[in-house]
Amino acid sequence: MFYGRVDVYWPDGPIESYRLNKAVVAVGRSSGNDLVLDTTGISRYHLKLTFNEYQARLEDLDSANGTYVDSVRLSPHESYVLRGGEEIQIGGARLIYHPPAALDSSGAEEITQRVVLARTTYRVALEGPDMAVAPGAHVQALLKIENTGEQADRFFIELDGLPKTWVRVDRTEMELAAGEMGQAVVSFKPLRRSETRPEDYPFVVRVRAKSTPAETVDAPAVLTVLPFSGFGMALGSERLLHGEQLKVFLHNQGNAPLPIDLSGADKGNALIIELSAPHVTLLPGERQTVTGTVYGWRRKLFGALSVREFAVIARSRDSAGFTASVPGSFVERGMLPGWLPVLLLPLLVIGVLAAAMVALLVLDRAGEETPVPASPTISAYALSANEIMLGETVTVTWTVSGARSLLLRVVGAGREQRIALPVDVSTYNLTLEASGRYTVTLEARRDEENAISAADEISVRPAMSLTAEVVDGGELVRHVVQEVQLTWTVNGAQPYEGGYMIWATSPDVAGNLLAAPMPLSGQQRVRVTPGGNQAEWLVTLYAQGHDGTNTSVTQKVPIGSPVCELSAAQTTVRSGPGEHYPAIRAVQPLDGPAQGALSYSPVARDPSGAWLRVEIDADGRLGWVPLADFACMNFDPQRLVTTTDYPVLPTPTATPTPSPTYTPSPSPSPTARLATATATSSILPTVPPSATATSVRGR
């Protein structure tokens, strides 16, 4: 039979999950346990889980270091009912129990999420999260990226749809060679707060390649969050005098509605305890105050102070059926003072002596009934967030009874802060002055020997702002060289070589966009030339704080297409930048377009700047047109990228004239010789008569 699941979280990061298939499960360091956790701080037989009547019960087996449930230590062999989602601390391990009902309703036991998507040059696979998670606990997903292209590429990872404080990605970008596969671990930890509702949260893991930034792979998945319980109760005054009003403070620290029955009880049933609202329902995170009265069945006519112990008991009406109580004391005095009989009966000496003896006996008994001071209790303790930005405020809440002093100790960033608190408050807004990891401990003390504490941890990341603006205004334009001004401010970055651990990256730049080390605030212009398939230009600013606390912020600048409208009556598209190149097609007929002007998007210009290369049809065919025939609307044509990728015309050469040839023949007759000379002269070049005569004389 399936009784639920236990998730074990170790300090160094690994997470283990165990199905519970037995009605009794022993947990400890010894190999004889059903669940073996072999580490120091855990006893050989530490605790056991028992399942019966649809309830899970936890019992500490008198362990050396104790068992803590939501920061409250259990008494040895105390039977504690688990509702599911509670944080169980033993030694250095943290356990979260998930009951079968929660797993069935959420589908956690059968969750199998695997998404595989592909683009032209890479493939993405997202595996998990494969189980539901209780607030405050962890669950992971594995993202695999395979470079299926022929060249190395850089890939960027984003996550959308979940609060940033819930998610951490161990690698937000990775460089992969052709054919190489890389992976990133996505960790989910919903905050243990009443605002974290138990439901399904859809999200998307987005992968973008540097070579094709306009193309993305969006891998969808769902994070299932389980309900968790938490309840706090305290009295307005632990010592109640006759006639004073009883106040009971209630707090639902869980993330689901909690119906509660309230009642009072005392030893011997000598008191009447009446509550104004014996049945209440607390919404997630809600606080309520229930008032009431306490008085005795019969009030004494004469006598000194008498003290009686009582308790207010809360029982939940949900499936957990837990019981909690807070103690108090009722102090009662007689209706008439003890010396009044002396005045009324001066002659009854014996009666006076008898009354005095009775009064002494009553005083002695009252002294015996005076309760011995007990240790204070912390029934609830929580931080509003376990991860914040520097400058943000975290709210510390607690429910404490029996304390005469409260102290909040904050340790981290190389210093300790001690804050004394009034005992009648239950919240404190804490602001931390440096980035880093802190331990926040609440100490409740009754006297020097009776004290208790509860602790939680918080990470403070550097705070930052980043703006990216096109210098000449408007948006970036494809294929046009432009400048973008970056303005940043960072608070809490770690010092580094005269600057700070701050750096900026962009998908279209190899390495860091700005030179390190960078100051905490500044401005700098960068040159940007958007490619043909980019929809937006991205820049990400990173900062590392103390203790390895990192943060980042990304700005996006939209990218538009260059627009040029035909201003001439007609132009011709040629295969190269010049009138000597053959025509490909006419851009516009002689009678002009039917409506408006023809618009084209140039992709480059020639080195002279007199010709533009444009797309001439939907198939992406390119051709060249004169810049003079166009009016460009949203960019400077001289800042368009330059190309020499066009055919080279051959250099024209003159055609040579063939020289006359002479072939010897037998001596002809004078008549024949004259005819031959006449025929030959007709194909020779024209020469002056004198030269001809000279030639003849030579013969």
Side-chain angles (χ1 to χ4, degrees), residues 364-421:
D364 290 340
R365 183 171 298 177
E368 293 175 358
E369 293 180 356
T370 301
V372 178
S375 297
T377 59
I378 301 178
S379 55
Y381 177 71
L383 303 181
S384 60
N386 293 107
E387 190 171 288
I388 62 172
M389 295 286 190
L390 187 62
E392 294 180 345
T393 298
V394 60
T395 301
V396 189
T397 60
W398 62 85
T399 302
V400 175
S401 59
R404 292 178 178 170
S405 66
L406 295 177
L407 180 68
L408 198 65
R409 290 195 303 111
V410 185
V411 179
R415 57 174 296 185
E416 178 179 0
Q417 186 179 3
R418 302 170 69 90
I419 305 169
L421 302 168

Side-chain angles (χ1 to χ4, degrees), residues 49 155 184 206 256 319 378 397 407 419 428 467 480 490 504 540 575 623-624 646:
L49 298 168
F155 299 90
R206 181 172 295 113
S319 58
I378 301 178
T397 60
L407 180 68
I419 305 169
Y428 183 79
T467 59
V480 177
V490 178
T540 302
S575 62
W624 291 85
Y646 48 82

Side-chain angles (χ1 to χ4, degrees), residues 260-263 275-280 290 317:
I260 294 292
D261 290 335
L262 294 174
S263 62
L275 297 169
S276 61
H279 310 289
V280 297
V290 176
R317 299 197 306 273

Side-chain angles (χ1 to χ4, degrees), residues 541-607:
L541 184 69
Y542 297 88
Q544 178 173 311
H546 297 274
D547 302 327
T549 52
N550 295 330
T551 189
S552 65
V553 60
T554 299
Q555 287 293 329
K556 302 177 181 180
V557 181
I559 300 175
S561 299
V563 178
C564 292
E565 291 185 352
L566 185 64
S567 58
Q570 184 186 22
T571 191
T572 302
V573 180
R574 300 185 179 277
S575 62
E579 298 291 345
H580 297 293
Y581 283 89
I584 299 177
R585 56 171 289 189
V587 175
Q588 179 176 335
L590 290 173
D591 55 358
Q595 294 181 350
L598 288 179
S599 297
Y600 285 85
S601 294
V603 299
R605 65 180 177 90
D606 74 326

Side-chain angles (χ1 to χ4, degrees), residues 148-167:
T148 59
E150 297 181 354
Q151 296 186 7
D153 207 344
R154 179 172 287 273
F155 299 90
F156 305 89
I157 303 169
E158 303 173 2
L159 193 141
D160 192 17
L162 293 176
K164 293 183 179 180
T165 54
W166 289 17
V167 186

